[in-house]
Every structure is written in structure tokens, then in C-alpha cells.
Amino acid sequence: MQDIASHFRDEPGLQRTPTPPAAPDIMRDAGDTIATASPLRLGVPVTDTLIVAPAAARADADVYAFSFEAGIPYEITMEAARVDGPALADPYLTIVDRQGNVVAENDDDGASLNSRITVTFDTSETYYIVPGSYETRDSGGYRLSISAGTRSDPTRAIDWGTEVDGPGVSVYFAAEGERFDGILNTAAWTAYERAQVFEALGEYSNIANLTFTETGSAAGADFILTHSPNLTGLGLFNPPGTRGEGVGWFSTRSAYWSDEAGGLLEPGSYTYLTFLHEFGHGLGLAHPHDRGGGSTIIPTTYDDNGLDQGIYTVMSYNDAWWDGPLGTSSDFRYGYSLTPAALDIAVIQEKYGANTSYHAGDDVYSVPMSNAPGTGYLTIWDAGGIDTIAADGGRDVIIDLRAATLSGSAEHGAGGYLSYANGVYGGITIANGVVIENASGGAGDDAITGNGAANHLSGGEGRDTLTGGAGKDTLDGGTGNDRMSGGAGHDVYIVDSVGDQVIEARAGGLDTVKSETLDLDIADYANVEALALMGEADLTATGDDGANFITGNAGGNTIRGGGGRDNLRSGRGDDAVYGEDGNDIILAQDGDDLLFGNTGRDNLRGGEGDDTMSGGTGADRFIIGPDQGDDVITDLELGRDKVQLSGLELAGFGALSAMMADTADGVLITFDPAASLLLSGFIADDLSAREFIF
């Protein structure tokens, strides 16, 4: 069955989907089964005959095995050929897995009745190639061959190979009764229609070094636009370098066209998508499913259309997210493309250069949360700034900050990763080369994925799943029991529920868990090294046997380092900090704090409050700085512990001695009216220069 490719957009539902023939009985003959399949080799064609018949007893099937390598595009062709008799009438090609499940199939190659499959698999696997016929009764010869390309470049499938002379593109709207390339324009273009055309053309200006201006003369115009209700289809456009190049036509039939604001010409509508599609042709883009202009055919699989979908290229006949859970919108006012997609952007920018000033600031892109005019699928082209994809509402949302890779399969991001809300005909992908740094979910159960930048991922309400990338990420699940995985990099997790899960790999960076509502125990968070208390609540933070970094908040905290060499900092409240085992660094900040070194060789430093420090066992160092308040050392061990005063710029022990006074509690050293140090249990004569570091 022959299907002539063209650059017409078909009406919805008119795409031909052939009913495949009944699968031949490939298990009938030895040598013609999956278990005994003949090998197929790259560049080595085979010829044979087969018989397709309703009765298995009269059928003769052939099966070939081939080991496909992941990420490599393969082209399998099956041509009718005379081999000891007549050729097959209508070849039909199928690829199956070891269980006989169909993974790809093809009837016509777009130019003849011969079959061609272009396929790329995500994993290396052996599959089985089964020649057949579209006819339920057919017999004859065929020629089968397989070739391999380089790793997939899907942009070549939509590149017509030509371009207009830019950057300026002049646009002429045909007058009533004018005819161009045999097409009659039946009515004058209204001001509203012209505005919508230029809005769609503006989407190409946003991404590339292109400008579009209206001209009053067809002579010399780059684009000549006609419209009428009289032709079959929705639109056509002659690409650069073809006969009638630059001439385009659009259907004004009422099912797809309106000349009032808010109607079928608005962004997100089916006809607005038609504008984007046909202007793509005018700028040198081809269909992904045929070989227009010498383009390749984009890889697909049997189970889905792969990259041949509108969310990856507006040049597809499989509009919007054809294989998505909702399929394509049945309301022509919304649910279609708002912009060129990632593959389109890559090819257009290759031809004309990128627009490096569009959205160069800090931008927020909102995930569509309802089905209404204006809802549709957009691809972000953003030239800079710190940007966010955000959702606001109760629907469950998927947000993915990874940009299109332009290679491999749809599953692995060749055309981008879609961010969308459950139940909505719309979403967001990100063009190759664009970095979106942040994401925030709504009130639903959201799944948010970061990229290689330093991301801030916020789940909001609900039971959210947050996955960071390779950068230094902050993951904040928000309210609800959330699951957070930072990936590589030094990540920060913000928890507010005992049900929050932190998933961190070994050697995945120096990672921190923070909370302003929960007591934290680092033993609850595998492979996390640091804890930080936030807010003003009186909370406890507890380390483990590793080398922990723990920080308090503005409340009254209890901080315990546990074993290991810990770095502990009080917060701005009145805190109690315990180094416990290990050689620890303990730093007081604001507040009147109690610092306990416990065992080990510890460094204790008072902060701006009135702090009390106890080194415990081990040779400890007490660090006294300027503006430290009125501090106390309770257990200075002469000849073993040291008091470091280098930050005070004293002239030596003689100058220090002049500041000493014996009291009932010990030696009081007064540095100034607002700063002093009490050494408990001593008199001045007990002390010598060896106890101090200047």
C-alpha cells in the first residue's frame, strides 16, 4: 500500500495506519524459527523467498537474528526481488524480540511498496527480523539488508537542507482573488489574522537570528501567504529551493479557523500549530517521517512514535504528545504546540544562528494547570539568568530540568524531557543548551528532577519525589512525607517531617540535612555528613562516628558530635554543645553557650555571648578572640591545655599578667569592660607563659 509523502498537514484522524497482516507461523519450520534464526550481517544482503498463506501448512516463513548495539541507528530494508520466480507483491517487515513480541514494523518506505525500518535501541540486544507481506496471500522473492549509521542525530530527520536569505524575512499577505503557485486566495487577510501569523512567526524570532516584516508587494517577498476553504488539508508551504518556494496556504474552514480573538488562531490551538509547522517548512524544516529535501527518517519503535511527536518537533504529524496518557486534545482551541520544539530549535539555530538576548534575565515558567484556551506545549529557549519552572495548584506534577540532548532516543531526552501536570494537555520541554536552575511544585504529589547545575528543588505540599543532578543542589520537600535524592555534588536537604527520606550515595559529596521543626540525628540519614538547625525552635542535633559538621539555630539547642573529628557550631541562642569522642572543633556564636570537649584533643572557641568551656580529657586548646564576651574555662589542665590569645594582639605574658586578678572563683583576666576570661580554680601565681599562645 503506497502512501505518498508531501508537505501537507493532514486533517486529524486522516493519517493512514495500516492494519498489519497476520503474523506468519514463524515457529513452523526448522531454520525458520526464532530458536534457529539465520544470522543477518551488516552490509551483506540476503535474498530468499517466502509464502504468506492463511493455512500454516502452506506458509513458508523466514527469520533472521541481529545483535543491535545501543544508541546506533540501523536501517533495515526489504525490497521485492525476483528469486527463482516472481517477486513479492507488497513486502512487510517486522522486528520481534525473543518471545515473539513485535518491537517495530513497516509496510511502505514512503516512495514505493518496499519496506524500510529505521530504529535505535536504548540497550544492546538481539532481535529477530521477520520478512513478510501486507497481503494475506502472497509469495515471491525479496532482498533483505541492514546498515548502521553513527549514533543518532534526530535533527537530520527534520532538516530540508535549504534556508531563506536572512536575517530579514519579508511577508506578503495575498489580496482577494490573487493566485500564487496555482493557489487562489479567496478573501483578504484581516488585521486579526495577520497579527496571529506574526505572533507565530515571532516564535521563530525568539529562538533565532530572524526578523519578519510585512511587505505590500508580492514582488521579492520571501513568504507569500494565501488562505481559502477550498483545498484538502490544513496547510502547505513550499520550502526554500523548491518550485514556488515561499508560497504558503492555510485552510479557513470553520472547524479550524476563526477571525476573532480567543478562537482557533490563538497560541495552543490546532491552527496555531499549523502556522508553526508550515512556517517551519518555509524556513527549511522537513517532516520527521519522510525524506523531504534529502532528510533522514526519525527513529521510532513499534510501541510508540518515539521522537516523531509534536512535543519534540512541530514538523511531526503526530501532534502534541501523541503517545502521552491523554493522547491529543479533541478541542482544537488548546492542547497543541505554543512554540517550535527542541529539535526544531536546534535546526533553525544551526541555519540562522541563535537569539542570544531572548529571556536573558531571571524568568519563571509556569506549568499549565488547566485545560483552557492558551494551554499547550512550549519549549524554553532562555539566554541567561537564574530561572525557574513552577507549578501552582493541586494537580500532581512532573518537573524535569534536563535539557534536550539531541541524540539517542525520546526516552533518554533527545527531544527534551516534558514537565507537565496530570490531566492537562500542555507542558514544557527545555531546548538544548539552556540551563534552568530551579523548580517548585504545588500542592500535589510531585516528581521533580534536576540537572547538572546548582538546583533549588522545592516540592511544596504533598508527597513529593525530588531528584538532584551533578550540581550542588538544595532539595526542599515541603510539607508531607517526601523522598529526596541529591545525586553527586554537595547537596542540602531540608526536612520537616519524620517521614521524609533522604537518599544519598556513598562518596556523593559533602551533604547537609537541615530542619527548623525536627530534632536531627545524622544516623537517620545514610552518607550525610552535616546537620544544620534552622529557625528559632529549641532543637537537638546529634552526630555519629563520622566527621560531622553541625550548626545550631536561633533557639536553645543541644548539639552532640558523637565519635569522629567533628566541627560543631552553636547557633544564636543559648546552646549546649558536646564534642564527645574524637578531636573536635567547637565554635560558639551568639548567645551564652556551654561548650564541652569531652574526650580527645579539642579546640573550643567562645563566641559573642558569655560562654562556659570545658575541654574534658585530652590536650585541648581554648581560643579567645576579640568581642568574645565574658567567658569561663572550667578545667584548664596546666602543662597540657593551651589558651590561644593571638587574636587579641597582646604584647606577651607580661602584658597579660597586668590584666589578671585573683577572685574566689579563679583568675579573672579583664581585656576590656565588655570582654573577660575566668580560669576556674587557679590563682595568678599558678599560671605561666606556657599556658598561653600569643
Side-chain angles (χ1 to χ4, degrees):
M1 305 296 291
Q2 192 170 8
D3 185 12
I4 302 298
S6 72
H7 54 270
F8 280 82
R9 275 181 52 77
D10 295 333
E11 293 184 26
L14 293 187
Q15 291 89 347
R16 173 183 173 275
T17 304
T19 302
D25 183 9
I26 60 175
M27 302 299 291
R28 187 179 67 83
D29 295 327
D32 292 335
T33 68
I34 288 176
T36 61
S38 300
L40 185 63
R41 296 181 175 87
L42 282 173
V44 182
V46 297
T47 56
D48 207 337
T49 61
L50 58 82
I51 300 172
V52 178
R58 295 192 299 272
D60 175 26
D62 298 326
V63 182
Y64 299 87
F66 185 82
S67 296
F68 292 86
E69 183 179 343
I72 298 291
Y74 294 90
E75 183 175 83
I76 304 101
T77 60
M78 179 186 175
E79 302 170 337
R82 292 183 177 274
V83 181
D84 299 328
L88 284 173
D90 193 350
Y92 197 101
L93 193 56
T94 305
I95 302 176
V96 301
D97 62 16
R98 184 172 296 276
Q99 288 72 42
N101 302 310
V102 176
V103 297
E105 60 186 347
N106 176 258
D107 176 18
D108 302 329
D109 62 11
S112 69
L113 298 184
N114 294 320
S115 299
R116 180 189 289 114
I117 293 177
T118 302
V119 65
T120 304
F121 293 105
D122 295 325
T123 58
S124 297
E125 190 74 49
T126 297
Y127 290 103
Y128 301 87
I129 300 166
V130 184
S133 174
Y134 185 84
E135 304 293 339
T136 57
R137 292 179 180 271
D138 196 4
S139 63
Y142 63 88
R143 183 178 187 270
L144 182 69
S145 64
I146 185 168
S147 62
T150 57
R151 294 199 177 272
S152 178
D153 181 3
T155 62
R156 300 282 71 82
I158 60 168
D159 187 356
W160 190 274
T162 58
E163 59 195 67
V164 298
D165 292 331
V169 179
S170 57
V171 181
Y172 175 71
F173 292 93
E176 182 177 357
E178 286 190 300
R179 186 183 296 273
F180 296 94
D181 194 28
I183 301 172
L184 178 66
N185 185 65
T186 58
W189 288 78
T190 68
Y192 170 69
E193 292 168 351
R194 295 172 190 232
Q196 297 313 106
V197 163
F198 271 97
E199 185 164 355
L201 289 171
E203 296 297 342
Y204 286 96
S205 294
N206 293 340
I207 64 174
N209 184 26
L210 288 167
T211 58
F212 299 90
T213 56
E214 184 175 350
T215 180
S217 172
D222 297 300
F223 286 1
I224 298 175
L225 306 186
T226 66
H227 62 356
S228 73
N230 299 329
L231 297 181
T232 300
L234 295 175
L236 67 86
F237 216 109
N238 296 322
T242 63
R243 183 183 64 82
E245 63 179 294
V247 175
W249 165 84
F250 299 94
S251 173
T252 58
R253 281 177 291 170
S254 60
Y256 314 115
W257 194 270
S258 59
D259 55 6
E260 296 180 357
L264 293 169
L265 273 62
E266 296 291 326
S269 71
Y270 196 69
T271 299
Y272 194 82
L273 164 59
T274 302
F275 286 160
L276 295 173
H277 178 102
E278 301 304 343
F279 296 147
H281 281 312
L283 294 170
L285 298 185
H287 294 145
H289 60 268
D290 60 31
R291 297 179 182 274
S295 62
T296 61
I297 294 177
I298 210 161
T300 60
T301 67
Y302 175 73
D303 293 330
D304 57 48
N305 290 286
L307 291 168
D308 189 8
Q309 299 184 68
I311 59 171
Y312 307 125
T313 170
V314 297
M315 306 312 295
S316 175
Y317 277 8
N318 300 317
D319 302 314
W321 193 11
W322 188 273
D323 291 332
L326 302 179
T328 302
S329 173
S330 60
D331 190 324
F332 293 158
R333 297 173 302 165
Y334 62 81
Y336 297 92
S337 296
L338 295 160
T339 67
L343 298 181
D344 311 315
I345 291 172
V347 177
I348 290 294
Q349 290 181 343
E350 183 180 353
K351 292 177 182 292
Y352 304 104
N355 184 336
T356 58
S357 62
Y358 186 66
H359 280 196
D362 300 342
D363 300 296
V364 176
Y365 300 92
S366 297
V367 177
M369 300 297 287
S370 63
N371 291 311
T375 296
Y377 297 91
L378 69 87
T379 298
I380 295 174
W381 171 249
D382 187 286
I386 304 299
D387 308 301
T388 303
I389 294 179
D392 183 13
R395 293 181 184 267
D396 297 343
V397 170
I398 290 176
I399 299 178
D400 199 318
L401 298 184
R402 293 174 293 177
T405 64
L406 305 183
S407 64
S409 66
E411 180 182 357
H412 289 88
Y417 298 88
L418 188 67
S419 299
Y420 65 98
N422 185 38
V424 176
Y425 291 98
I428 299 171
T429 58
I430 302 172
N432 181 260
V434 172
V435 177
I436 305 299
E437 291 80 5
N438 303 324
S440 60
D445 299 339
D446 306 320
I448 302 177
T449 301
N451 52 35
N455 304 136
H456 191 289
L457 310 181
S458 175
E461 301 175 39
R463 298 172 60 92
D464 306 311
T465 300
L466 279 57
T467 305
K472 183 178 180 180
D473 304 316
T474 298
L475 295 84
D476 182 359
T479 59
N481 296 331
D482 307 304
R483 178 184 175 90
M484 296 174 281
S485 176
H490 307 319
D491 303 312
V492 175
Y493 301 90
I494 300 175
V495 301
D496 64 0
S497 169
V498 294
D500 287 340
Q501 298 181 59
V502 170
I503 312 298
E504 182 62 45
R506 186 183 299 274
L510 178 61
D511 306 298
T512 304
V513 171
K514 295 184 175 183
S515 182
E516 62 178 52
T517 58
L518 299 177
D519 294 332
L520 297 179
D521 188 334
I522 207 166
D524 295 332
Y525 309 105
N527 302 315
V528 169
E529 295 81 11
L531 301 175
L533 302 175
M534 304 186 301
E536 300 180 355
D538 298 340
L539 299 173
T540 297
T542 304
D544 59 12
D545 290 339
N548 306 137
F549 191 106
I550 304 177
T551 304
N553 62 12
N557 306 137
T558 299
I559 297 174
R560 299 183 180 276
R565 186 180 181 87
D566 304 313
N567 191 318
L568 311 176
R569 297 184 181 183
S570 72
R572 298 188 303 276
D574 299 337
D575 306 312
V577 184
Y578 301 86
E580 300 185 324
D581 296 338
N583 302 329
D584 305 312
I585 298 173
I586 303 174
L587 171 64
Q589 301 188 75
D590 297 350
D592 300 336
D593 301 315
L594 302 175
L595 310 183
F596 301 93
N598 303 121
T599 61
R601 299 170 59 90
D602 305 311
N603 288 348
L604 294 82
R605 178 171 181 169
E608 295 186 7
D610 299 337
D611 305 311
T612 299
M613 296 177 280
S614 301
T617 61
D620 304 310
R621 179 173 295 188
F622 302 92
I623 303 170
I624 306 299
D627 302 323
Q628 85 278 2
D630 297 325
D631 295 337
V632 178
I633 298 175
T634 65
D635 64 344
L636 181 69
E637 185 177 352
L638 300 181
R640 187 174 178 86
D641 297 335
K642 298 290 185 181
V643 179
Q644 181 172 324
L645 303 174
S646 53
L648 298 178
E649 298 182 354
L650 297 175
F653 186 72
L656 181 66
S657 297
M659 300 177 182
M660 295 181 183
D662 292 334
T663 70
D665 296 319
V667 178
L668 179 64
I669 306 173
T670 303
F671 303 108
D672 60 49
S676 67
L677 174 64
L678 177 65
L679 302 177
S680 297
F682 296 102
I683 61 175
D685 288 344
D686 295 332
L687 305 176
S688 65
R690 67 178 183 174
E691 274 75 60
F692 300 94
I693 300 174
F694 296 97

